[in-house]
Amino acid sequence: MIQYMLLFSRQGKLRLQKWYNPIAQREKRRTTRELITLILSRKPKMCSFLEYRDQKIVYKRYASLFFCVAIEPNDNELLTLEIIHRYVELLDKYFGSVCELDIIFNFEKAYFVLDELLVAGEMQETSKKSVLKAIAAQDMLQDETESKTGLDEMADKKKLGLAGGLP
């Protein structure tokens, strides 16, 4: 089972974090800081698996982002690499060649994609098509809500005489 997932840049900036077990905020910050330092200090040709406390850490670098996942000691590292890769593929399909800026400015979408893929640290959906359909449905719902809210605001402004044009 996945304990947590961290996405961070080559400069050590945390871009996304998802914790599947309750951990104190102080412990989260310490763990995050230690792992980022540990992984960034490793050479590119070194193994992408390491032992950290009572967990296995599996990480993979894509462009300028590191995807880091903590799993239980008896979990399969290669399967975890596949989950990371699946997440990157989904982000890539959704954003169209995902980059660090997509994660920064659309972090809620990145979380939504992750939540569609994983639930409680376990793989929920293996089909990329199903995940992308759910995301598209969520986007349509969000667009409808935003347009309805925009129309309601326009009507309120018109009632108050704040809309452009003659009253």
Side-chain angles (χ1 to χ4, degrees), residues 150-165:
L151 290 175
D152 290 345
E153 287 175 4
M154 288 287 287
D156 290 344
K157 285 181 182 179
K158 205 168 206 176
K159 286 177 190 174
L160 295 173
L162 299 175

Side-chain angles (χ1 to χ4, degrees), residues 7 15 46 51 55 101 139 153:
L7 270 68
R15 298 300 183 201
M46 292 178 84
E51 304 244 343
Q55 304 165 336
L101 289 176
D139 284 347
E153 287 175 4

Side-chain angles (χ1 to χ4, degrees), residues 73-107:
N74 58 351
D75 285 346
N76 187 334
E77 300 94 342
L78 295 177
L79 183 61
T80 307
L81 273 177
E82 282 295 319
I83 291 171
I84 292 171
H85 188 69
R86 177 60 51 103
Y87 182 51
V88 171
E89 285 179 327
L90 287 166
L91 289 174
D92 216 32
K93 285 227 191 249
Y94 181 74
F95 290 112
S97 187
V98 69
C99 67
E100 187 176 350
L101 289 176
D102 292 323
I103 303 294
I104 293 169
F105 292 118
N106 299 301
F107 64 90

